[in-house]
């Protein structure tokens, strides 16, 4: 399928590894010019190398989402290189494990600023150009915890949930301008983040990470963890012209893990 997004400009946040890198690579395969950003310059360089090796076009910007004062400078540099951002992928790192009770208020505030407020601010900066040209894509990646809360991940469950309400509201505001706004929900995708969470759970249960992973796989109808490439391909489809009538939606990429409708 031709997604008809060749030469479009994408900005993928948190693209140094994991889901962000997979999304960046999938977009690049479709001929999109991909700007990747994140905090770790070395990991971003690895993403650029992977994209270049497959024949794609990409540039990296070292950026901390906790420093929104740097957004304008990055966006202006992208504009000078390629033009305005057509596709924005909002992707932030996961917060530390935490219980719903007893977590310090300062931690809640810090994580809200990083995981929610920063993404909203960045989106507000790219939307005017999208609406003016009559085409744009806002894709926000979250967690399965927004549908089925995950034990000991209260920060993620609660804060990412707010992104769903924001995205649904925004979708109705910009749909007539040709801009779609969707949320992606990953299940157990084989990334370093999931391996880290398996290891943490193993420590609590006096088990091993592989034993935790095996138990987890048994709860997934597909019988396995997803591959980052499968998640990236879904994001690329949502960015494409054939997906122009999909907006305000929550797309699960979970191998059937989430049992609710």
């Amino acid at each position: 399928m031709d997604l008809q997004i060749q030469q479009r400009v994408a900005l993928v946040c948190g693209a140094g590894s994991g889901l962000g890198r997979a999304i960046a690579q999938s977009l690049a395969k479709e001929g999109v010019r991909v700007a990747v950003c994140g905090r770790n310059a070395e990991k971003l360089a690895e993403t650029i190398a992977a994209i270049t090796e497959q024949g794609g076009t990409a540039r990296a910007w070292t950026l901390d989402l906790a420093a929104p004062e740097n957004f304008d400078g990055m966006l202006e540099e992208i504009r000078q290189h390629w033009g305005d951002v057509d596709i924005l992928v909002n992707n932030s790192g996961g917060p530390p494990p935490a219980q719903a009770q007893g977590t310090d208020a300062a931690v809640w505030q810090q994580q809200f600023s990083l995981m929610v407020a920063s993404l909203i601010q960045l989106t507000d900066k790219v939307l005017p150009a999208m609406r003016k040209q009559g085409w744009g894509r806002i894709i926000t990646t979250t967690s399965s915890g927004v549908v089925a809360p995950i034990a000991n991940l209260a920060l993620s469950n609660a804060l990412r949930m707010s992104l769903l309400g924001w995205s649904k509201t925004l979708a109705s505001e910009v749909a007539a301008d040709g801009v779609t706004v969707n949320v992606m929900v990953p299940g157990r995708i084989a990334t370093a983040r999931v391996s880290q969470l398996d290891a943490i759970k193993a420590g609590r249960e006096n088990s091993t990470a592989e034993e935790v992973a095996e138990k987890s796989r048994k709860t997934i109808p597909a019988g396995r963890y997803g591959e980052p490439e499968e998640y990236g391909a879904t994001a690329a489809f949502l960015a494409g012209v054939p997906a122009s009538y999909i907006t305000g939606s929550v797309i699960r990429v979970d191998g059937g893990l989430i049992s609710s409708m």
Side-chain angles (χ1 to χ4, degrees):
M1 179 184 292
D2 180 8
L3 299 184
Q4 302 172 52
I5 49 177
Q6 295 89 349
Q7 299 304 305
R8 289 288 186 181
V9 179
L11 171 59
V12 182
C13 301
S17 62
L19 301 180
R21 178 181 290 177
I23 292 172
Q25 289 184 264
S26 291
L27 288 170
K29 286 179 181 178
E30 297 298 327
V32 175
R33 294 172 289 180
V34 184
V36 298
C37 69
R39 291 178 294 180
N40 190 311
E42 291 184 3
K43 288 186 176 181
L44 290 174
E46 292 174 1
T47 299
I48 296 298
I51 290 174
T52 302
E53 184 177 351
Q54 68 186 26
T57 301
R59 295 179 68 97
W61 278 264
T62 303
L63 179 80
D64 189 342
L65 287 174
E69 64 272 15
N70 295 325
F71 290 174
D72 285 336
M74 175 187 66
L75 292 173
E76 179 57 31
E77 290 181 12
I78 294 172
R79 189 176 297 113
Q80 290 176 2
H81 282 292
W82 294 322
D84 291 310
V85 171
D86 302 302
I87 302 163
L88 173 64
V89 178
N90 286 319
N91 174 51
S92 65
Q99 294 186 333
Q101 60 176 335
T103 299
D104 192 272
V107 175
W108 281 101
Q109 293 170 348
Q110 177 193 42
Q111 292 300 320
F112 177 84
S113 294
L114 175 63
M115 297 173 56
V116 181
S118 63
L119 300 182
I120 293 173
Q121 287 177 274
L122 183 56
T123 301
D124 281 348
K125 290 182 180 297
V126 302
L127 269 174
M130 291 182 180
R131 300 182 77 175
K132 183 178 180 179
Q133 71 175 351
W135 199 95
R137 299 289 185 264
I138 306 295
I139 301 169
T140 301
T141 182
T142 58
S143 161
S144 62
V146 303
V147 180
I150 303 169
N152 205 44
L153 290 182
L155 288 167
S156 178
N157 296 337
L159 297 179
R160 294 192 196 278
M161 178 70 79
S162 64
L163 290 171
L164 267 67
W166 165 73
S167 295
K168 184 66 174 179
T169 307
L170 179 62
S172 65
E173 294 176 357
V174 300
D177 297 314
V179 179
T180 67
V181 184
N182 292 294
V183 172
M184 291 182 62
V185 173
R188 306 292 289 176
I189 309 294
T191 63
R193 167 69 172 173
V194 169
S195 295
Q196 177 191 41
L197 293 175
D198 283 350
I200 291 172
K201 186 174 182 180
R204 293 199 312 270
E205 298 178 351
N206 193 28
S207 181
T208 68
E210 179 50 39
E211 288 172 337
V212 168
E214 180 58 29
K215 289 181 181 178
S216 183
R217 284 191 286 268
K218 290 179 179 179
T219 69
I220 303 171
R224 62 179 177 85
Y225 283 7
E227 295 298 328
E229 294 78 13
E230 294 172 309
Y231 194 79
T234 304
F237 173 74
L238 289 175
V241 171
S244 294
Y245 206 56
I246 301 174
T247 194
S249 295
V250 177
I251 311 299
R252 302 176 184 182
V253 187
D254 68 346
L257 170 65
I258 301 171
S259 58
S260 63
M261 296 293 292

